[in-house]
Amino acid sequence: MNSGSIPRIELNGTELLLLALERDGKVSDMGYKFYSDLRRANYSGDPSGDTMGHQLVEDSHDRGDLRKIWFYVSYPEDPFEGERNVQLRVYEDGHIPSTQPVEPNLFDEIVDDIDKIKRYRDYLSTIDELIDLFLEDEYRTTSRSRRRRIASKFKQSFEDSINEYFDYNNYSETELELYMNIFANLGVGIIDSGVPDTDDIDGVHEIKRTEFDNYSEDKYTVDRFFELYADHVLDIQTINQGDLANHLNYILSIRKDLPSNRSSDVESWAKPLSLIDHIREKYELA
């Protein structure tokens, strides 16, 4: 790299969603990229709506990677004028224009947010990125289109699990997407560190064995995802699925371990980075 060059910023889908959440933004537009004949798609809404709630957006979300997110934030004007909504347009390459003139300090704050988010990058892979690490190796005899359908089924199993724990009425689709990605990464982190016995972790309790293996109508379950990831990526051939299910249940069931200024049924998930810190400390993860 030349001494005068500017380091490139790359933001994946989890990081884009997390940045919007950190800024308390109202998502209005989302853009996806695909590995098919349809290369890109964009969807727009209004500042008060939930763009991901529409079927076309959900279909793209299932088949593509998030490459841009536009959201509105409240921006303070002078004391006599109050606040106004400003749309920020954040792209995967770190390009962040705004629709109205703002003071430089707003972008300074966003840069600080991105820097903070990047410090958690080991736990912010998208579920698609995690699946892709084993998909071709495990299903190498199947067609490319069939592999993409399998990936979608694994992803649907994670979505079903998240929906079992979070009240759909209290969360936006963008929040649930973010939580799903972080949940998958934390599960991978626990496996990589060595799944502890249930009794060795304070606050973790045994659950029914079907808690994480009964959401999918076929074999592409959350359990199977972690088995394949452990085998192909971490070179771990055997994991105790019973203990792992108990730890996954603990992660999704956290209520009061972490402070939050939000009133909801799973308060600590309103602060995803603090949640990651909590799990890393509790399980002594890297």
Side-chain angles (χ1 to χ4, degrees):
M1 184 189 328
N2 296 329
S3 59
S5 63
I6 299 175
R8 179 180 176 84
I9 296 176
E10 294 184 0
L11 299 169
N12 68 12
T14 309
E15 293 164 334
L16 290 170
L17 292 167
L18 185 53
L19 182 60
L21 184 63
E22 286 289 303
R23 301 307 306 176
D24 196 25
K26 305 296 184 183
V27 176
S28 60
D29 297 64
M30 307 182 80
Y32 292 84
K33 58 184 178 183
F34 303 92
Y35 303 100
S36 62
D37 292 338
L38 177 62
R39 295 299 181 186
R40 295 190 174 187
N42 300 309
Y43 303 100
S44 300
D46 60 69
S48 60
D50 183 5
T51 306
M52 285 194 68
H54 298 283
Q55 187 61 48
L56 283 173
V57 184
E58 291 181 358
D59 291 342
S60 294
H61 152 72
D62 289 339
R63 297 186 295 111
D65 295 333
L66 186 64
R67 66 179 182 86
K68 74 172 185 179
I69 188 167
W70 297 2
F71 54 89
Y72 286 85
V73 296
S74 295
Y75 182 74
E77 295 188 303
D78 63 69
F80 301 101
E81 296 292 335
E83 295 185 339
R84 58 187 169 97
N85 286 331
V86 174
Q87 187 186 65
L88 299 177
R89 302 176 173 183
V90 186
Y91 295 82
E92 61 182 344
D93 62 358
H95 181 215
I96 311 176
S98 64
T99 55
Q100 301 178 43
V102 295
E103 296 294 328
N105 69 298
L106 176 59
F107 289 101
D108 291 340
E109 293 173 3
I110 293 172
V111 170
D112 289 341
D113 285 337
I114 292 175
D115 180 64
K116 179 173 67 173
I117 288 169
K118 284 296 184 181
R119 294 200 294 269
Y120 292 82
R121 61 184 177 274
D122 290 344
Y123 294 91
L124 298 178
S125 297
T126 66
I127 187 67
D128 301 279
E129 290 169 339
L130 295 176
I131 292 171
D132 283 345
L133 290 176
F134 66 77
L135 188 70
E136 185 171 355
D137 191 23
E138 173 67 18
Y139 300 101
R140 54 187 174 276
T141 61
T142 64
S143 66
R144 187 171 181 270
S145 60
R146 172 62 179 163
R147 288 199 297 270
R148 295 322 306 170
R149 289 195 294 272
I150 291 172
S152 294
K153 290 182 178 181
F154 275 121
K155 190 172 184 178
Q156 184 62 54
S157 292
F158 272 89
E159 291 175 350
D160 292 344
S161 295
I162 291 294
N163 289 335
E164 284 290 318
Y165 282 82
F166 292 85
D167 185 347
Y168 187 89
N169 295 319
N170 290 339
Y171 298 89
S172 69
E173 287 287 346
T174 52
E175 287 176 304
L176 296 177
E177 164 84 354
L178 175 61
Y179 299 164
M180 176 184 68
N181 291 339
I182 292 176
F183 167 63
N185 281 272
L186 290 173
V188 165
I190 290 174
I191 294 172
D192 191 24
S193 181
V195 180
D197 292 340
T198 297
D199 295 338
D200 290 343
I201 304 296
D202 183 52
V204 178
H205 306 288
E206 188 171 348
I207 62 173
K208 293 181 180 179
R209 185 64 189 90
T210 57
E211 194 78 33
F212 282 98
D213 63 7
N214 200 35
Y215 291 129
S216 179
E217 61 187 23
D218 51 32
K219 59 187 177 181
Y220 306 109
T221 62
V222 171
D223 282 4
R224 185 61 175 157
F225 162 87
F226 285 118
E227 285 181 355
L228 293 177
Y229 192 96
D231 185 16
H232 291 281
V233 183
L234 303 177
D235 196 26
I236 298 174
Q237 281 70 50
T238 303
I239 57 177
N240 188 315
Q241 286 283 11
D243 285 325
L244 178 61
N246 296 336
H247 299 303
L248 297 178
N249 174 70
Y250 169 78
I251 292 172
L252 290 179
S253 299
I254 293 174
R255 297 294 194 275
K256 300 177 181 177
D257 290 291
L258 301 173
S260 172
N261 58 6
R262 172 177 179 164
S263 176
S264 63
D265 62 339
V266 188
E267 294 184 352
S268 60
W269 275 91
K271 303 290 184 181
L273 297 183
S274 294
L275 177 79
I276 294 174
D277 285 336
H278 172 71
I279 298 301
R280 289 173 66 180
E281 179 179 354
K282 191 176 188 71
Y283 286 88
E284 299 181 352
L285 307 182

